[in-house]
Amino acid sequence: LGLAALFLIGLLFAVVRPRIAPPDVATLQPEFGTVELVGRQLFTRFLLPFELASVILLAGIMGAVVLAKGTLSVTVHPAAPDETK
């Protein structure tokens, strides 16, 4: 329920906020969109969202593996009296 409310608040914010005009092509820096600039932004300004996304993806992968394996049954065999030494 809380996640759905958070999603709706985010959706409302995205729709209601004023539209920002895209920058003019003439005002863009020459290194705009290069791999170096994207990498620098990813590991400085957007480090926390990047790490959160990686943790969420890892949890999803682990959940998919658990669901694909099915139920795990553990059988415990009682030890014979002479094997307990």
Side-chain angles (χ1 to χ4, degrees):
L1 185 63
L3 190 58
L6 185 63
F7 175 74
L8 288 175
I9 290 171
L11 184 64
L12 182 66
F13 177 74
V15 171
V16 172
R17 73 176 183 179
R19 299 287 177 203
I20 299 172
D24 249 356
V25 176
T27 62
L28 293 178
Q29 299 171 354
E31 67 269 359
F32 179 77
T34 62
V35 176
E36 180 184 357
L37 184 64
V38 170
R40 188 178 304 125
Q41 291 293 318
L42 187 61
F43 289 110
T44 55
R45 183 176 176 197
F46 298 105
L47 181 63
L48 184 62
F50 177 72
E51 291 298 327
L52 286 175
S54 67
V55 168
I56 291 170
L57 287 172
L58 180 62
I61 291 170
M62 291 170 56
V65 168
V66 168
L67 289 175
K69 282 186 139 188
T71 58
L72 187 66
S73 62
V74 177
T75 307
V76 178
H77 298 287
D82 56 335
E83 292 179 2
T84 58
K85 296 179 184 177

